[in-house]
Structures are given as C-alpha cells and as structure tokens.
Amino acid sequence: MGNREVPAAEMNDLPVALAELPVAEWAAAIDVRHSARTYTGDPVDATSIDGLVEFCAQLPGKEVARVVVAPVAPAAVFTGMVGGYGKVLDAPSALIMIGDEAAFAVEESVGYLGEAAILEATARDLGTCWVAGFFDRRIAAELVSLAPGERIFAISPIGHAKPRPRSSERMLKRIVGAHKRKPIEEVAPGFDAGIWPDWAAEGVRLAVIAPSAVNRQPWRFELEPGTADSVTVSIVEKGAEGRVPRRLDCGIAMLHFQVGSRVLGARGTWEILPSPQVARFRATTTA
Ligand SMILES: Cc1cc2nc3c(=O)[nH]c(=O)nc-3n(C[C@H](O)[C@H](O)[C@H](O)COP(=O)(O)O)c2cc1C
C-alpha cells in the first residue's frame, strides 16, 4: 500500500466505527473464536440467521463497507487451495464482506465491520473463518447485489463446526501456525503493564489474538509518547503483502482493541492515519 491521501480533519474518522458494543459477549467471543473450515452441514436455525441479518442491517457506514448474510451458501463458493487444502466443507451459510473500492479507509472498514459480524456469529455459537484468498468470486457475487464500485473482499462460512477439524485442515493450521501469536512485547514495543493504562493494555491483549491472513499479524500498537490517552496502530511491512491488504487485518485488530479497552471502561474514537500508520485510538472517557 502506498501513502494515501487523508481528507480534512473532521473527515478522518473510521467511517464504520461503532460507538456501542456488546462488550461482554464479544470479549467472550474473542476468547473462544478460531477459524473453522469443517462443518456438520446442519442448517443454522432461523433465529440465529434472522438475528445476524438484523445485526448487519444496523451497522453504520454502508456506503464504505457492509456485511451481508447469505442464508444458503453453495458449496462451490469455497474453493480452497490446490488439492483442496484450506477448503471449507459443508458450511450451510455465509457472511459476505463488501467494500466500495474507492471509499476512504475501505480496507480497515471491511476488516473492522467484518470482524464485528464474525464476533456476533461466534457469540451465537456458530463457527466462522475469514476467507479472502480462496473463494469463487463469481458465485459469491450471485449471492448479493453489488452497487457500482463495490467489491467482495472476503467471505466467511457460518454454521456448526465439527468439534475436530478434518486432517487436511489440521495440517493447514500447523503450516500457518494458526494458534501461535506474537508476544505482546513485539506487537507493542516498550509495552509495560506498569506504565500503560489498564484499558490500553487490555486492548492490546485482545488485539494480539485477532485473526489475520496467513496469521501474519501485521500490526504494531504504540502508546503515543507524552500522552496517556492515545494509542496508534501501524503496519508491519514484513514479506509480500499478497492479495489481502494488511490494512484489512489491522481493521480486525482495531475492533479487538476497542472491545478490550471498553472492558476496562474506556470509550474513544478512531482517526485514520496515512501509511505506514493506520489509525489512532483516542480515549475520550476512561473509568
Ligand atoms: C483477512 C483474512 C483472510 C483470510 N483468508 C483465508 C483464506 O483464504 N483461506 C483460509 O483457509 N483461511 C484464511 N484466513 C484464516 C487465517 O488463516 C487464520 O485467521 C489465522 O491462521 C489464525 O488462525 P485462527 O483464526 O484460528 O486464530 C484468513 C484470515 C483473515 C483475517
């Protein structure tokens, strides 16, 4: 990603930011969530589908990013890699993460809102898995009605995950080290629980366990020098960017950060920053 133009100050905020969050439910969902690619094939009950449809309908910033529930997901929409590795099997339904390619902060917005839908589904005991690389775009596009300029950035299965993934999924998880996370000191250089405010420390703890494409965790969190109320998120540019923008991963981690900081009483706003920075969280009230 090159440097991006940042519009006038009052327009810099994350366009899809959520002022209110179901904090306890999502903090619990963050703890138990992991990617599931092997499902039972049983349909998702109508109450959960309707609840998710309603949830997605009230999300803000639809002109930038939105999530659509596909109650019936054709099996062929999940392609997997060569040999079927990473293929999602027997998922009855899906979430479709859409963004307007030309919109300001579209990548971080898709990540942030998409993860909101993932956590909401997780809180309803449904399995999920961000899939940005290996899905059939033509089939996915038949499940939604796209406005001019909109693109599908990713999809996720939703359904009842089998308790034990099949062996090819277990292999994939081993290859990407799906359960491994960078230590907090690497994600937040200079992290000191004695110096960082509790809300910021808890925010980073939940950001550390966010999902990212091939588990690359391309984010860094810094307490802004000389302040006790601002934390910036930046991109770590290691390796090739690949097909999935790192700013999308960062949007996911930003939502996790915000949930963690709210657990410990902070509310705040997200201001989008030019690359390699991504955004600044400024706490407006703390407990
Ligand atoms: C933006 C994004 C794109 C992803 N794309 C794929 C994909 O195309 N195929 C796949 O099998 N997993 C995909 N994943 C899942 C990641 O591999 C997974 O989140 C990561 O390995 C961490 O594992 P966990 O989600 O179980 O914590 C994606 C994840 C993210 C956040």
Side-chain angles (χ1 to χ4, degrees):
M1 284 281 93
N3 279 356
R4 58 180 50 211
E5 287 219 348
V6 174
E10 65 273 18
M11 292 175 65
N12 282 359
D13 285 356
L14 178 70
V16 298
L18 296 168
E20 293 303 328
L21 312 166
V23 184
E25 289 83 352
W26 285 6
I30 285 173
D31 250 355
V32 300
R33 186 216 58 81
H34 57 83
S35 293
R37 301 174 184 84
T38 311
Y39 290 81
T40 62
D42 297 336
V44 178
D45 63 283
T47 314
S48 295
I49 291 286
D50 292 350
L52 283 174
V53 169
E54 211 173 294
F55 171 77
C56 292
Q58 52 79 48
L59 291 171
K62 290 204 176 40
E63 63 291 352
V64 175
R66 62 194 178 98
V67 183
V68 172
V69 180
V72 178
V77 76
F78 301 106
T79 57
M81 290 176 237
V82 179
Y85 274 105
K87 190 177 159 112
V88 171
L89 269 194
D90 297 329
S93 308
L95 298 170
I96 317 243
M97 326 304 194
I98 299 166
D100 178 337
E101 284 203 282
F104 171 68
V106 61
E107 293 161 350
E108 0 350 14
S109 296
V110 169
Y112 180 97
L113 273 199
E115 187 66 1
I118 293 266
L119 295 180
E120 189 64 21
T122 308
R124 292 167 191 270
D125 287 334
L126 296 170
T128 63
C129 178
W130 275 93
V131 178
F134 300 97
F135 67 96
D136 187 311
R137 294 188 169 275
R138 193 185 49 79
I139 299 177
E142 282 166 8
L143 301 173
V144 289
S145 160
L146 295 177
E150 279 189 333
R151 175 163 85 82
I152 299 175
F153 280 73
I155 64 175
S156 165
I158 42 176
H160 302 286
K162 280 198 175 170
R164 183 168 158 80
R166 65 195 194 279
S167 63
S168 68
E169 180 177 357
R170 295 203 304 276
M171 170 95 82
L172 177 91
K173 281 172 180 277
R174 265 202 304 278
I175 292 167
V176 300
H179 293 298
K180 291 195 190 135
R181 289 298 188 268
K182 293 178 180 170
I184 201 160
E185 297 73 20
E186 192 180 329
V187 170
F191 177 84
D192 180 340
I195 295 173
W196 280 51
D198 288 349
W199 59 265
E202 190 59 18
V204 174
R205 281 191 198 102
L206 295 200
V208 162
I209 51 178
S212 56
V214 289
N215 203 21
R216 59 193 171 178
Q217 306 161 63
W219 43 66
R220 175 172 296 142
F221 288 79
E222 279 159 300
L223 188 63
E224 270 198 325
T227 76
D229 67 355
S230 291
V231 172
T232 54
V233 187
S234 308
I235 295 171
V236 178
E237 299 203 17
K238 198 171 159 212
E241 171 137 291
R243 282 193 284 180
V244 186
R246 292 187 178 96
R247 291 185 85 100
L248 192 156
D249 288 329
C250 288
I252 297 174
M254 284 160 60
L255 182 68
H256 281 221
F257 178 89
Q258 193 180 336
V259 173
S261 62
R262 269 299 273 128
V263 167
L264 288 183
R267 285 172 188 276
T269 54
W270 284 110
E271 180 193 355
I272 298 296
L273 302 173
S275 292
Q277 290 186 312
V278 177
R280 173 186 293 116
F281 181 82
R282 178 163 290 139
T284 46
T285 52
T286 52

